[in-house]
Amino acid sequence: MNTPISWIKAYVPDLDCTTQEYVDKMTLSGSNFECYEELNAHCDKIVVGQIKTIEKHPDADKLRICQVDIGESELLQIVTAATNVNEGDKVPVVLAGGKVFDKESDTKEMKIKKGKLRGVESFGMFCGIEEFGAAKELYPEAPEDGVYIFDEGAQLGADAIELLGRKDVVVEFEITSNRVDCFSMIGMAREVAATFKKPFHKPVIKETGSGEAAKDYISVEIKDTNLCKRYVARVVKDIKIAPSPVWMQRRLAAMGIRPINNIVDITNYVMEEYGQPMHAFDLSTVEDNKIIVKTGEDNTTFTTLDGQERNIDSSVLMICDGKKEIAIAGIMGGENSMVTDNISTLLLESACFDGTNIRLSSKKLGLRTDASGKFEKGLDPNLAMEAMNRACELIEELGAGTVLQGAVDVYPEKREPKKVPFEPEKINGLLGTNISKEEMLAYFKPLELEYDEATESIIVPTFRQDLECMADLAEEVARFYGYDNIPVTLPKGETTVGKLPLKIRVENIARNIMEQNGFNQGMTYSFESPKVFDKLGFGEDAKERKAIVISNPLGEDYSVMRTTSLNGMLTSLATNYNRRNKAVRLYELGNVYIPEALPLTKLPDERMKLTMGMFGAGDFFTLKGVVEELFDKLGVANTEFMATRGYVFLHPGRQASIMVKDVVIGYIGQVHPEVSERYGIEEEVYIAVLDMPHITELADFDRKFTPIAKFPATKRDLSMVVKQDILVGEIEKVLKKNGGKFLESIELFDVYQGEQVKEGYKSVAYSITFRASDHTLEDSEINPVIDKIVAELGKLDIELRM
């Protein structure tokens, strides 16, 4: 919202501050300041002068020598090339030492010095409207090319910058959509008055209208009361189209609005002053002298004021007469009812339309106007009549026409002010302040918030749609008491222990373990190509192929949501391999997307996967050790690595499922050589994938202190001959299950196949450690345990080596 300070002072005349003080205080009271523009920033020492004589330059055909009266004792000589000035004209004169706007300059200004033009002294310069930094269209009286010429009434020596309304500052505020009242000059002036604690002078509207009644000229019917809350119409006869007064033109120009004529300018002026858009119709074009507000018909076209044909449908609200559409409600009028210079009787409209419908219609039609921009915020229907009366007052004041008595006002459901309980103690409790009830009410008064002592409530006017409850009133108190005056206090209530959620803690530990072991974090796309499944070797009926297809993909390579994290990891490893990195370790924490059924009936299961990949230094057991270290740090107990052949993308003899109590929580292995070749990697690649939701469920951080053992350990070594198809994991199960309460650790220290071991068998040796915390173990306590272990191993056809 652009707010010229000069216009604000029309309602807050006692405002006296610098621009910086103005924006600082308005910011502290809750108005979001964006920027400001000093309209005269590049202009100085420009006065009104009158040309007394004009002589031809003796040495230049295009130059003329002027003697100019600027209200001082001596005339000022100025040499000019302007062709549109004559003797007696009053023009802006830039004095020596002054400056004007120059768009070609880096500093955007040009300093004027006295000098000679073809041998003749010149002590200043005449200037046109563009030298003031203004656009020509904002000053319709300015010539197309040449020096600006003032009216005869302009006083000699007066400040020309001020006369043109350029001695002003336009401040831009960003208004939030809940403060509809601040999309107007009156609304912003109300905020200024409350902020600076100055009297607020709202325009006092005089009663207008005489002679015939408006209801005898026009009738109004609202067919869709949900989309039109109120429609006010007044009639003006004997219209006299003319330029609007200078003061109105200057205020509109400061807002960036081009003055056109008195009628159009009045409607624009009231729109900016009250925030209520208005529209004018030529009553002679309104069939049956009737206004009907209803939605349009499908597959129809309508020509708007800009000469464009618009496609209308049944969702667009239209203003119609007895036979045709004459305007798109709240957006733009129609060409068939436009106001021309030949108008004699005017129909003025001031209405309240549904903001959501206006916004949707504006977007659908590709047509956004100043009016639609205000309507779409949701206006106060009570504003319609006030703005209408203000416009009619200005019409009579400016002699633009004769306003008829009364108005046709269709207002099906009147909006009443609401009451909000006033509870000063709760407000102080919420803010942490100690402000008296009287002081709070003093803040409310300039905002037009009245206090009802009988019900102990605040009566909220309808233009303040944002005030609904006690917290809203507390915000008003805080704004004008001053946020910077609210004391710093500690929060009240019970303290809580702050910590990260378990999921985040587990993921952070996983990152730490990965990076401690030399893994670098990667991040890959969740969108993939369906060709990935062929590349990884999945069968046609593999569950991984049941992927969610994206309806508007970037391309085929990003057309499905990934169901496995392998492709991203292998692609990253391949990139590093192709760049000649000899040893690479990467990890990724990323989601896969598993649909319950296709097509989707509900959101898919998004499961976080920890994916590890490596090549170069290290092998299967290196990666297995990293996984085991992670489990140890997270307290995930009873994990098993079970050999399997179920993963088609892994080497059939070097893969394992990672399980806890028969639940698969991940897998590990060497990537199948054929898969590695498809990715262009000519080395052994090892990967591990862990399901993080399962890991999080199993994580246990309940660690108990174990004191350092005071008594010595007892060790036993078992060397055994086992069949080659028996895994060491099966042997370790037997050792742990039958090791008894004194078992401390088991360690595999030898695996051998060779001439001394018969064919089809291997030699496996373990060191088993026992220890008691309260005494030194004796053979009588250990030997029965060893005997039991040997007996159980025998059931697996395992023999001890002697």
Side-chain angles (χ1 to χ4, degrees):
M1 176 72 186
N2 291 329
T3 60
I5 291 181
S6 63
W7 199 343
I8 291 290
K9 286 183 176 180
Y11 314 113
V12 191
D14 296 338
L15 181 65
D16 184 18
C17 61
T18 66
T19 303
Q20 194 59 52
E21 289 171 342
Y22 177 78
V23 299
D24 287 346
K25 280 199 171 186
M26 291 298 290
T27 299
L28 288 174
S29 68
S31 298
N32 188 8
F33 162 69
E34 286 287 308
C35 61
Y36 69 82
E37 179 188 4
E38 295 179 338
L39 300 184
N40 64 328
H42 304 291
C43 300
D44 191 25
K45 291 186 177 180
I46 309 178
V47 299
V48 177
Q50 185 176 32
I51 302 174
K52 291 299 185 180
T53 63
I54 299 177
E55 297 177 2
K56 186 178 179 183
H57 193 289
D59 295 324
D61 293 338
K62 293 185 177 181
L63 296 179
R64 295 191 292 173
I65 304 170
C66 303
Q67 302 299 323
V68 183
D69 183 2
I70 60 171
E72 297 182 357
S73 57
E74 296 184 1
L75 297 179
L76 194 69
Q77 180 170 288
I78 294 178
V79 179
T80 182
T83 58
N84 70 312
V85 293
N86 298 294
E87 292 180 355
D89 287 344
K90 292 184 177 180
V91 295
V93 178
V94 190
L95 303 178
K99 57 184 181 180
V100 293
F101 178 78
D102 182 8
K103 63 182 178 181
E104 304 297 333
S105 170
D106 292 336
T107 60
K108 300 300 180 186
E109 63 188 36
M110 178 173 62
K111 292 183 179 179
I112 306 302
K113 301 177 182 179
K114 63 180 179 180
K116 292 184 177 181
L117 291 178
R118 300 294 292 271
V120 178
E121 285 188 314
S122 180
F123 297 91
M125 184 185 85
F126 300 149
C127 62
I129 199 65
E130 288 185 324
E131 274 81 28
F132 287 90
K136 285 183 179 178
E137 58 266 22
L138 299 180
Y139 292 82
E141 75 280 11
E144 283 296 320
D145 186 23
V147 174
Y148 183 86
I149 299 176
F150 288 105
D151 292 336
E152 293 181 0
Q155 184 178 353
L156 296 183
D159 189 338
I161 302 171
E162 190 169 357
L163 280 179
L164 287 171
R166 302 298 295 175
K167 209 159 194 175
D168 200 356
V169 179
V170 178
V171 182
E172 181 181 351
F173 293 100
E174 180 186 0
I175 309 300
T176 53
S177 57
N178 65 324
R179 288 303 306 272
V180 183
D181 58 302
C182 288
F183 284 95
S184 66
M185 293 303 302
I186 285 178
M188 286 306 302
R190 187 186 293 112
E191 289 288 305
V192 171
T195 299
F196 288 88
K197 297 179 174 57
K198 300 291 184 182
F200 172 53
H201 298 273
K202 190 176 180 180
V204 178
I205 302 174
K206 300 174 185 176
E207 186 177 346
T208 56
S210 60
E212 300 169 284
K215 64 181 181 180
D216 297 332
Y217 278 77
I218 193 71
S219 64
V220 176
E221 178 185 0
I222 301 176
K223 288 194 173 181
D224 195 327
T225 55
N226 290 324
L227 300 184
C228 180
K229 306 296 183 184
R230 187 179 191 181
Y231 196 100
V232 179
R234 293 196 72 172
V235 178
V236 184
K237 294 181 67 177
D238 305 323
I239 295 296
K240 300 177 182 66
I241 300 294
S244 54
V246 172
W247 65 266
M248 181 177 287
Q249 291 190 33
R250 298 296 179 256
R251 287 185 180 176
L252 291 175
M255 296 286 289
I257 298 175
R258 179 170 64 93
I260 298 175
N261 58 49
N262 49 4
I263 297 300
V264 175
D265 291 354
I266 286 170
T267 58
N268 285 334
Y269 184 86
V270 173
M271 179 175 69
E272 297 302 330
E273 184 177 41
Y274 281 84
Q276 171 68 52
M278 304 183 69
H279 189 68
F281 299 98
D282 185 340
L283 187 60
S284 66
T285 65
V286 179
E287 300 280 352
D288 301 334
N289 283 28
K290 185 173 185 179
I291 292 291
I292 303 172
V293 185
K294 63 180 181 178
T295 54
E297 297 180 3
D298 289 328
N299 303 318
T300 58
T301 59
F302 178 73
T303 304
T304 48
L305 281 171
D306 57 2
Q308 299 293 315
E309 276 198 355
R310 312 285 177 178
N311 295 319
I312 306 301
D313 60 30
S314 58
S315 68
V316 179
L317 189 66
M318 301 296 294
I319 308 299
C320 308
D321 59 19
K323 296 182 180 179
K324 63 184 183 300
E325 296 95 348
I326 57 175
I328 303 174
I331 300 177
M332 186 177 280
E335 194 176 56
N336 56 4
S337 61
M338 66 186 295
V339 173
T340 65
D341 292 343
N342 300 321
I343 186 173
S344 61
T345 305
L346 181 76
L347 170 63
L348 267 183
E349 164 197 284
S350 180
C352 182
F353 303 114
D354 179 71
T356 301
N357 178 262
I358 296 298
R359 184 174 67 254
L360 294 175
S361 298
S362 177
K363 187 175 181 181
K364 182 179 294 183
L365 297 172
L367 178 61
R368 197 170 192 274
T369 60
D370 290 339
S372 68
K374 293 187 184 295
F375 274 122
E376 67 188 23
K377 305 295 188 301
L379 298 183
D380 173 18
N382 291 328
L383 190 64
M385 181 61 81
E386 191 174 356
M388 173 64 81
N389 291 337
R390 173 63 167 160
C392 290
E393 178 190 40
L394 289 171
I395 288 173
E396 286 195 351
E397 185 180 308
L398 303 184
T402 303
V403 180
L404 302 191
Q405 281 188 358
V408 177
D409 182 11
V410 181
Y411 196 0
E413 188 176 343
K414 186 176 181 181
R415 181 177 294 178
E416 300 289 349
K418 52 180 174 284
K419 290 186 177 182
V420 177
F422 179 49
E423 302 165 293
E425 297 81 8
K426 287 188 177 181
I427 291 175
N428 278 321
L430 182 64
L431 298 178
T433 55
N434 188 24
I435 306 171
S436 67
K437 173 182 176 181
E438 291 71 23
E439 192 174 355
M440 292 184 188
L441 292 175
Y443 296 143
F444 294 154
K445 187 175 181 180
L447 299 174
E448 300 183 38
L449 304 178
E450 298 179 4
Y451 177 55
D452 185 353
E453 194 169 355
T455 59
E456 294 187 342
S457 59
I458 297 296
I459 302 173
V460 180
T462 54
F463 63 78
R464 285 302 299 271
Q465 302 175 28
D466 59 310
L467 301 182
E468 298 283 349
C469 61
M470 182 275 293
D472 295 328
L473 294 181
E475 183 181 5
E476 297 303 293
V477 172
R479 288 200 301 133
F480 298 106
Y481 176 71
Y483 292 109
D484 52 335
N485 294 324
I486 297 176
V488 177
T489 57
L490 292 173
K492 297 178 181 180
E494 298 181 359
T495 59
T496 58
V497 178
K499 61 179 181 180
L500 294 173
L502 178 61
K503 174 181 179 293
I504 303 300
R505 291 166 62 196
V506 168
E507 290 176 6
N508 286 344
I509 290 172
R511 288 188 180 92
N512 288 338
I513 296 299
M514 293 298 103
E515 289 164 13
Q516 288 168 13
N517 284 278
F519 285 77
N520 291 301
Q521 185 172 9
M523 184 179 292
T524 59
Y525 289 114
S526 296
F527 302 160
E528 292 187 329
S529 167
K531 298 175 183 177
V532 165
F533 305 119
D534 295 328
K535 206 171 182 180
L536 291 171
F538 287 114
E540 292 298 326
D541 57 347
K543 65 180 185 300
E544 286 80 4
R545 289 185 179 270
K546 296 176 182 178
I548 302 166
V549 178
I550 299 168
S551 58
N552 56 341
L554 297 173
E556 186 182 2
D557 289 344
Y558 303 97
S559 60
V560 298
M561 302 293 288
R562 67 179 177 185
T563 56
T564 173
S565 58
L566 288 175
N567 176 65
M569 177 56 67
L570 291 175
T571 301
S572 297
L573 290 173
T575 300
N576 280 274
Y577 178 81
N578 293 329
R579 292 179 181 174
R580 303 295 188 269
N581 291 327
K582 295 182 179 180
V584 176
R585 295 186 178 190
L586 298 176
Y587 78 94
E588 179 187 13
L589 280 164
N591 288 339
V592 297
Y593 305 85
I594 312 299
E596 182 178 291
L598 291 176
L600 285 176
T601 55
K602 64 178 184 178
L603 293 175
D605 183 14
E606 298 185 25
R607 299 195 71 82
M608 177 72 74
K609 301 288 183 180
L610 171 59
T611 308
M612 294 164 265
M614 55 182 278
F615 66 78
D619 56 15
F620 178 92
F621 296 103
T622 305
L623 188 56
K624 179 172 178 284
V626 175
V627 175
E628 289 176 330
E629 182 182 349
L630 174 62
F631 289 159
D632 180 65
K633 191 71 175 178
L634 292 174
V636 178
N638 303 316
T639 57
E640 296 182 57
F641 290 79
M642 300 295 295
T644 181
R645 291 175 175 268
Y647 302 102
V648 296
F649 46 83
L650 295 179
H651 191 295
R654 298 178 185 174
Q655 59 175 273
S657 293
I658 306 172
M659 307 183 68
V660 174
K661 296 181 181 179
D662 299 326
V663 176
V664 177
I665 63 171
Y667 56 83
I668 184 173
Q670 178 188 337
V671 176
H672 198 292
E674 292 181 0
V675 175
S676 297
E677 186 178 342
R678 293 186 197 120
Y679 281 90
I681 307 175
E682 297 178 1
E683 287 198 33
E684 293 182 356
V685 181
Y686 297 93
I687 62 165
V689 178
L690 301 178
D691 186 67
M692 293 306 290
H694 274 130
I695 301 295
T696 302
E697 290 176 7
L698 297 167
D700 183 4
F701 298 108
D702 186 14
R703 306 297 175 88
K704 295 181 179 179
F705 171 72
T706 302
I708 298 174
K710 297 179 180 180
F711 298 92
T714 299
K715 287 192 175 183
R716 294 285 192 274
D717 290 344
L718 290 180
S719 181
M720 57 198 81
V721 177
V722 303
K723 293 180 179 178
Q724 288 185 2
D725 59 353
I726 295 178
L727 304 176
V728 292
E730 297 177 62
I731 299 173
E732 289 178 2
K733 273 187 182 180
V734 174
L735 298 179
K736 291 177 182 179
K737 184 177 180 181
N738 299 284
K741 63 181 180 179
F742 299 128
L743 178 64
E744 186 177 78
S745 65
I746 57 175
E747 181 182 355
L748 175 67
F749 66 88
D750 184 52
V751 177
Y752 173 75
Q753 288 178 273
E755 296 178 359
Q756 290 82 4
V757 181
K758 58 185 177 181
E759 189 176 349
Y761 284 78
K762 59 187 175 184
S763 172
V764 178
Y766 279 94
S767 179
I768 307 174
T769 302
F770 299 92
R771 192 194 302 268
S773 61
D774 55 354
H775 65 283
T776 301
L777 292 174
E778 297 180 359
D779 289 345
S780 59
E781 295 176 282
I782 300 302
N783 290 338
V785 174
I786 295 297
D787 292 340
K788 184 178 180 182
I789 289 174
V790 171
E792 291 298 321
L793 289 173
K795 294 179 181 179
L796 297 176
D797 198 17
I798 296 174
E799 301 175 0
L800 294 183
R801 290 187 68 185
M802 299 303 200

